[in-house]
Amino acid sequence: MKITREWAMPNSETFKIKPIYELIKSVFKGQMAQTNDLNPEFEAHYHMDALDFLELWGDTEVGGVLFDPPYSPRQIKECYESVGRTVQMQDTQSSFWGDMKREIGRIVQQDGVVISCGWNSGGMGKVNGFEIEEILLVPHGGWHNDTIVTVERKQ
């Protein structure tokens, strides 16, 4: 496993942070087919709830996923309220992330890659059939939380 630490300024658009952008570019080689973001102000093919979006895909239909959910219950609340959606209790429980990880595990094909962003290195996890290949730690300085990016391959 490769572990890299590269400092960068914080940015609300995770994929524009230079070391994260470079990692995504090197793993996916510019091949991003379909994109989804709940916020219609962000450029994406779809603006759907993540689980609804993932359910569009059949079993083992996808070669790779870039997973950048809200990192905390507070971020979920801010994200949902910014698009006029009411936050429900189930939206801030650990099952919020677990349900999405299971769906991602279902749709990613054998040897497929998932890049996950968050405040921990949990990623998709062995329980969903993934092994970590690389971890990128992006410290932002001051009181900002680090962004932890995991690259995992489905076994």
Side-chain angles (χ1 to χ4, degrees):
M1 174 182 5
K2 177 182 175 188
I3 300 175
T4 306
R5 181 175 180 203
E6 197 167 331
W7 189 87
M9 291 296 295
N11 186 329
S12 62
E13 295 184 53
T14 307
F15 310 140
K16 290 186 177 179
I17 297 171
K18 186 176 180 187
I20 297 172
Y21 172 81
E22 293 296 328
L23 176 68
I24 293 167
K25 192 169 81 172
S26 73
V27 170
F28 290 127
K29 311 214 184 322
Q31 299 177 9
M32 298 299 283
Q34 301 294 314
T35 56
N36 181 54
D37 194 298
L38 188 59
N39 190 334
E41 292 182 19
F42 287 100
E43 185 179 334
H45 295 98
Y46 296 88
H47 299 285
M48 302 171 65
D49 175 83
L51 277 176
D52 294 338
F53 175 73
L54 293 169
E55 289 170 356
L56 295 175
W57 312 105
D59 293 354
T60 64
E61 185 176 355
V62 175
V65 170
L66 184 52
F67 182 54
D68 184 33
Y71 301 168
S72 69
R74 180 191 57 79
Q75 283 190 344
I76 292 169
K77 183 178 185 300
E78 290 172 1
C79 176
Y80 282 15
E81 288 178 352
S82 75
V83 296
R85 181 171 167 181
T86 303
V87 177
Q88 305 296 320
M89 185 170 72
Q90 66 267 18
D91 296 326
T92 59
Q93 296 176 330
S94 63
S95 60
F96 171 85
W97 293 276
D99 292 345
M100 286 186 281
K101 290 177 182 186
R102 274 189 295 285
E103 275 299 294
I104 291 169
R106 178 187 67 78
I107 68 172
V108 172
Q109 62 196 354
Q110 201 71 14
D111 207 38
V113 175
V114 175
I115 297 177
S116 304
C117 301
W119 286 336
N120 63 59
S121 61
M124 296 297 108
K126 288 185 179 190
V127 71
N128 292 311
F130 290 86
E131 287 285 331
I132 294 176
E133 290 187 345
E134 184 172 350
I135 296 174
L136 171 64
L137 175 64
V138 184
H140 302 295
W143 289 100
H144 299 285
N145 289 317
D146 297 346
T147 301
I148 301 171
V149 184
T150 58
V151 178
E152 296 171 279
R153 187 167 303 275
K154 189 169 183 184
Q155 304 300 303

